[in-house]
């Protein structure tokens, strides 16, 4: 990587950690090991890539079931009551005090770490890593990768061109849309005009 590039890798959904006091939010242990709770394979990928590219790294430390750090603070899905058609009982009637606790302890702490890295390390490129399920609504997804972007496509277009040279099955804003107001890249990259892109990888490709 050129020395002029000061890269930060982030992984919003790297962890499925839920403190014991939450009793898995009423879900089974099996549920906590699935995509409902976190992006499978992303933590190891982010660490390995960061080491290989000598980049900065910030990993989400809590399950997205507690709070989704890749959402605007006013997004109704910040603390979801339903995930993948499953009711999250522990989120159904949370108090204002508990909501504020999760925002301050989990959400704001994560974004403050990103902001600190950007300022201290003079970051000029951010890559956000996520993974997606190979099966959706009973159908197998043929896509291997998705490059998600908002209106700033500078880095995303470069990544798409490189991946397509290798005949990879790669989606442009698939399997999800990359333009979500208030998400991590909106907050930290788009507003600052820092080059950025979100890379989605099918999680069965990260299983070994």
């Amino acid at each position: 990587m050129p020395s002029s590039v000061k890269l930060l890798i982030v992984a919003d959904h790297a962890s499925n950690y839920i403190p014991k006091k939450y009793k898995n939010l009423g879900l089974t242990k099996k549920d906590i090991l699935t995509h409902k709770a976190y992006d499978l394979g992303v933590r190891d990928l982010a660490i390995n890539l960061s080491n290989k590219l000598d980049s900065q790294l910030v990993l989400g430390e809590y399950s997205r079931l507690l709070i989704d750090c890749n959402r605007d603070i006013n997004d109704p899905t910040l603390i979801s009551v339903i995930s993948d058609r499953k009711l999250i009982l522990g989120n159904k009637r949370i108090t204002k005090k508990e909501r504020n606790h999760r925002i301050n302890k989990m959400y704001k702490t994560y974004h403050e770490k990103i902001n600190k890295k950007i300022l201290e390390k003079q970051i000029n490129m951010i890559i956000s890593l996520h993974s997606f399920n190979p099966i959706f609504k009973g159908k197998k997804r043929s896509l291997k990768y998705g490059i998600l972007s908002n209106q700033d496509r500078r880095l995303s277009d470069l990544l798409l061109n490189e991946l397509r040279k290798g005949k990879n099955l790669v989606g442009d804003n698939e399997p999800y849309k990359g333009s979500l107001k208030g998400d991590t890249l909106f907050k930290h990259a788009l507003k600052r005009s820092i080059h950025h892109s979100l890379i989605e990888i099918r999680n069965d490709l990260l299983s070994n």
Side-chain angles (χ1 to χ4, degrees), residues 132-136 138-143 202-205:
F132 63 94
N133 272 337
I135 306 292
F136 182 66
K139 292 184 179 180
K140 183 169 175 60
R141 284 165 159 159
S142 58
L143 284 179
R202 208 175 66 206
N203 64 38
D204 58 325
L205 303 175

Side-chain angles (χ1 to χ4, degrees), residues 167-202:
K167 310 290 186 193
N168 290 294
L169 290 168
V170 54
D172 181 357
N173 274 323
E174 291 181 79
Y176 310 111
K177 300 296 181 187
S179 188
L180 186 62
K181 188 174 180 180
D183 67 7
T184 298
L185 291 179
F186 179 95
K187 269 189 186 73
H188 299 290
L190 183 65
K191 282 187 164 184
R192 290 179 163 108
S193 201
I194 293 173
H195 287 70
H196 60 278
S197 188
L198 190 154
I199 303 176
E200 287 272 1
I201 301 167
R202 208 175 66 206

Side-chain angles (χ1 to χ4, degrees), residues 84-100:
D84 196 17
R85 294 175 289 182
K86 190 115 181 180
L87 183 65
I88 316 300
L89 289 172
N91 291 342
K92 197 173 180 185
R93 291 188 181 90
I94 69 166
T95 63
K96 186 177 180 180
K97 182 180 177 182
E98 173 59 27
R99 178 184 171 84
N100 288 337

Side-chain angles (χ1 to χ4, degrees), residues 15-16 18 24-25 27 31-32 34-38 62-68 78-83 86 88 90-91 102:
S15 176
N16 64 346
I18 299 175
N24 287 343
L25 300 171
L27 297 171
D31 282 322
I32 305 304
T34 69
H35 185 76
K36 292 184 188 75
Y38 72 128
Y62 293 90
S63 170
R64 65 164 138 236
L65 292 172
L66 284 166
I67 194 161
D68 193 332
L78 181 72
I79 299 174
S80 290
V81 178
I82 294 174
S83 176
K86 190 115 181 180
I88 316 300
N91 291 342
R102 293 191 202 178

